[in-house]
């Protein structure tokens, strides 16, 4: 499997303690980056840091809530202690409540928008100036297939992920000449705790069948795309939304 060399830099991975974020943190560390694993969950963060170190990589953990606007600055400062910050993967997210728009609880709506959209903005506000100072970098924002299409009972999630795509495109345009590239990734349904650890088999099958490949994806099928976009191999790619969805959106 291709490994893109990112050995002279640090990388922030939010939500790095679980699922897609964990796979991305491991992949970037294997590719040489010093990784700041940033997550709310201390136990999971420490486990991923230990896994990276056991494999010979460099990692530190940062426990915190991405919805704290000041958090972005602390993450940048912590990453810069490892190596110049040149990669950020804004990946932390939640699925949120499941209900039609007319019944969607307002608090639940606000929570999803705060974590899945506003926190990406808070993170980028701190990451972009640091990367410009370091001569350039790559930001990868975790959207979803639901950043391009809707899904019954997931209005807040879909609205947040559409927002992430728009935010990504605008930040990319603003930075087209600064050396900071900004892209979004849109995974299909991926087998992670976010999907529901104990999701009934019938529901898993329903979701799997919505993909042309008739199966769910794995975190390790998303992380190579993120590592590529994060690396200098993607030097002419900015402002775009990259699907990794088993053909979901092609139908
Ligand atoms: P996951 O639940 O396995 O991991 C998410 C991580 O984010 C957890 O470790 C959690 O502690 C952390 N987190 C949640 N809220 C946080 C906060 N406020 N501050 C700091 N950390 C926080 O989820 P998964 O599936 O790996 O999702 C990662 C990203 O991928 C999310 O943005 C999600 O929307 C997106 N995604 C997931 C898909 C899926 O089917 N699993 C499909 C498409 C996109």
């Amino acid at each position: 499997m291709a490994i893109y060399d990112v050995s002279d830099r640090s990388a922030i991975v939010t939500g790095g303690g679980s699922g897609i974020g964990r796979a991305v943190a491991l992949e970037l560390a294997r590719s040489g980056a010093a990784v700041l694993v940033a997550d709310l969950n201390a136990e999971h963060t420490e486990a991923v840091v230990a896994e990276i170190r056991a494999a010979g990589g460099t990692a530190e953990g940062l426990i915190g809530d991405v919805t704290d606007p000041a958090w972005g600055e602390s993450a940048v400062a912590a990453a810069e202690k490892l190596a110049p910050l040149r990669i950020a993967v804004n990946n932390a997210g939640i699925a949120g409540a499941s209900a039609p728009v007319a019944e969607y609880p307002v608090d639940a709506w606000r929570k999803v928008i705060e974590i899945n959209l506003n926190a990406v903005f808070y993170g980028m506000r701190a990451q972009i100036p640091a990367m410009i100072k370091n001569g350039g970098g790559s930001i990868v924002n975790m959207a979803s297939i639901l950043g391009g299409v809707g899904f019954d009972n997931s209005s807040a999630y879909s609205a947040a992920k559409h927002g992430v795509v728009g935010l990504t495109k605008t930040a990319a345009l603003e930075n087209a000449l600064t050396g900071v590239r900004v892209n979004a990734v849109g995974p299909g349904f991926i087998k992670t705790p976010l999907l529901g650890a104990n999701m009934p088999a019938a529901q898993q099958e329903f979701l799997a069948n919505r993909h042309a490949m008739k199966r769910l994806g794995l975190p390790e099928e998303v992380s190579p795309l993120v590592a590529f976009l994060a690396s200098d191999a993607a030097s002419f790619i900015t402002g775009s939304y990259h699907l990794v969805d088993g053909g979901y959106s092609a139908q």
Side-chain angles (χ1 to χ4, degrees):
M1 189 167 296
I3 292 188
Y4 299 100
D5 183 13
V6 285
S7 50
D8 53 351
R9 60 203 78 177
S10 66
I12 296 171
V13 182
T14 74
S18 173
I20 295 170
R22 171 182 167 274
V24 167
L26 295 173
E27 180 101 23
L28 289 174
R30 259 200 308 277
S31 306
V35 178
L36 185 78
V37 181
D39 204 292
L40 259 186
N41 185 307
E43 195 187 326
H44 292 171
T45 303
E46 281 154 22
V48 174
V49 169
E51 213 175 337
I52 290 173
R53 289 181 181 161
T58 303
E60 287 292 338
L62 182 71
I63 316 303
D65 188 333
V66 291
T67 65
D68 173 2
W71 173 91
E73 301 290 347
S74 338
V76 167
E80 292 262 86
K81 281 191 192 149
L82 302 176
L85 178 72
R86 292 188 56 199
I87 298 173
V89 183
N90 294 307
N91 160 84
I94 60 167
S98 180
V101 171
E103 293 161 27
Y104 209 92
V106 171
D107 285 355
W109 171 276
R110 289 192 172 135
K111 187 171 178 195
V112 172
I113 299 293
E114 186 64 15
I115 297 174
N116 291 8
L117 174 60
N118 295 351
V120 177
F121 162 66
Y122 303 148
M124 286 204 299
R125 287 185 82 227
Q127 293 152 8
I128 289 169
M131 288 185 189
I132 291 174
K133 174 188 69 85
N134 293 335
S138 173
I139 297 176
V140 181
N141 295 325
M142 197 56 65
S144 159
I145 42 173
L146 304 188
V149 296
F151 195 82
D152 288 4
N153 300 315
S154 294
S155 55
Y157 186 91
S158 179
K161 296 300 189 181
H162 277 71
V164 167
V165 173
L167 174 60
T168 298
K169 289 177 180 170
T170 302
L173 293 176
E174 290 168 358
N175 285 283
L177 302 178
T178 67
V180 179
R181 296 180 298 102
V182 191
N183 288 287
V185 165
F189 288 91
I190 309 296
K191 271 191 198 171
T192 71
L194 177 137
L195 262 197
N198 302 311
M199 185 190 279
Q203 203 181 339
Q204 279 204 37
E205 201 183 327
F206 166 78
L207 288 178
N209 282 332
R210 293 193 64 159
H211 301 74
M213 288 183 165
K214 305 294 181 205
R215 67 173 177 87
L216 301 175
L218 300 173
E220 293 73 21
E221 293 180 301
V222 178
S223 53
L225 172 61
V226 176
F228 164 67
L229 290 170
S231 78
D232 298 340
S235 53
F236 199 50
I237 304 180
T238 197
S240 40
Y241 166 50
H242 303 264
L243 299 169
V244 46
D245 71 350
Y248 186 108
S249 310
Q251 301 169 102

